[in-house]
Amino acid sequence: MIKSSLRVKIIPIISLILFLTVPYRLVQIICLTVVFAVILSLLYAVTVSKKLEIERNLMTMRLHSGEQAEISFSIMNYSRLPVFVCYVYDDVSYIYVYDNKNRNLILLRSKEVKKITYRIHVQQRGEFYAGPVTVKFSDPLNLFEVTKEIDTKLKLYVRPAKITLITEPVPGLPQGNISIKNICYEDVTMRRSLREYRNGDELKRINWRASAKYGSLFTNEYQDTFDVPFFVFVNLAEDDYRFDQRLLLIERALELAAHIVERAAMLKQRCGFAAYGTGFPYLKPANNQTDFILDIISTIGMEKGSLDYNPEEKFKSQLPFGTQLFVIGPAEVDFYNDKAAAEKTDMSTDNLGITRSIWK
């Protein structure tokens, strides 16, 4: 958008009238100069406005509440004309920006690309945006002011804050990603080593190729591993939480849920999620959906009413074989807060009552 004052609009008209009516050459030259100056200033504003672009290196960023992050974008002047004073503002609502570095005055030379970087501190869970970017400048004579809003946005998913919690999986299905010293979970597809034959070794464990090569019997030893799918259920029913601390308690419930989901990803386990909350999401345990679940946790809210079913009974028939169920509600949150207040260091999903059952 190009703006100009009423004075700038009137002066060219008066200059043209004087040029046509006053017979003096000097006056006519001055009038033409004024008209050409206004026209050239307008052409400058239009040309440069079309050639200014913004580019972000990221379109989505995921953070935890309480973390700091760096946001950057590039402003490019593709025109052959310089911009002597350019104001650049990246709109970041509801997020603290250090030293207002998302507002900058810069000089852009012809064909120059300039990178702008600033730091933010996210303080609450949710979905936020950085952008659009507003660029303001004027022509060298300051006759026309140009404001250009470039709709390039960075989506910020702010996950619940990180907490301390021990989440240990219980052996479920053999042949997986978690190592364990138990021959019951031996993975015959992952040979660990060879050793000399001992009386009682099964014939199917003998490595016949190595035995033939060295002239004596050798037995295969395999890695012992297991898998256990995770399923996290969160109760966000509004009436189940105390009114005076409802928001804080629900945030703590989501912090516990996010920790368990991230722990599943660290252990390379399938993970599912359900909640009594906005949208009533339900995702069966599957691979490669950690970010999707955490994005839901970042934006989910309370739902009116009270939980009127037992999650263990409800999901028992729906979950895959060997699934470990985690249930988080008001009671579990109170247990965690009590232990945290007492500075306990042994807080786990087991002693908080979050781990419920393994479906076998």
Side-chain angles (χ1 to χ4, degrees), residues 43-107:
L43 289 175
Y44 172 94
V46 172
T47 302
V48 174
S49 176
K50 291 181 179 179
K51 297 295 184 178
L52 284 180
E53 298 293 340
I54 298 291
E55 184 178 284
R56 293 190 186 272
N57 57 344
L58 291 174
M59 300 309 294
T60 304
M61 183 180 290
R62 292 175 171 87
L63 306 166
H64 286 275
S65 178
E67 288 185 343
Q68 299 178 19
E70 190 174 85
I71 295 178
S72 62
F73 61 92
S74 298
I75 180 169
M76 296 158 284
N77 179 17
Y78 289 115
S79 73
R80 297 183 179 277
L81 301 169
V83 183
F84 299 103
V85 179
C86 183
Y87 171 76
V88 183
Y89 168 59
D90 192 13
D91 184 14
V92 188
S93 302
Y94 310 109
I95 293 178
Y96 177 76
V97 180
Y98 288 96
D99 300 324
N100 287 324
K101 292 295 186 179
N102 59 327
R103 304 170 185 264
N104 291 270
L105 283 176
I106 60 173
L107 163 67

Side-chain angles (χ1 to χ4, degrees), residues 108-147:
L108 278 175
R109 298 179 178 87
S110 172
K111 305 295 183 181
E112 184 179 11
V113 177
K114 188 160 287 189
K115 185 176 181 180
I116 295 175
T117 302
Y118 60 92
R119 293 192 63 79
I120 62 171
H121 182 216
V122 291
Q123 298 171 314
Q124 59 180 326
R125 177 183 62 89
E127 179 181 327
F128 304 95
Y129 290 89
V133 178
T134 301
V135 180
K136 293 184 179 181
F137 67 94
S138 65
D139 61 277
L141 298 179
N142 201 26
L143 299 178
F144 296 94
E145 182 184 280
V146 181
T147 302

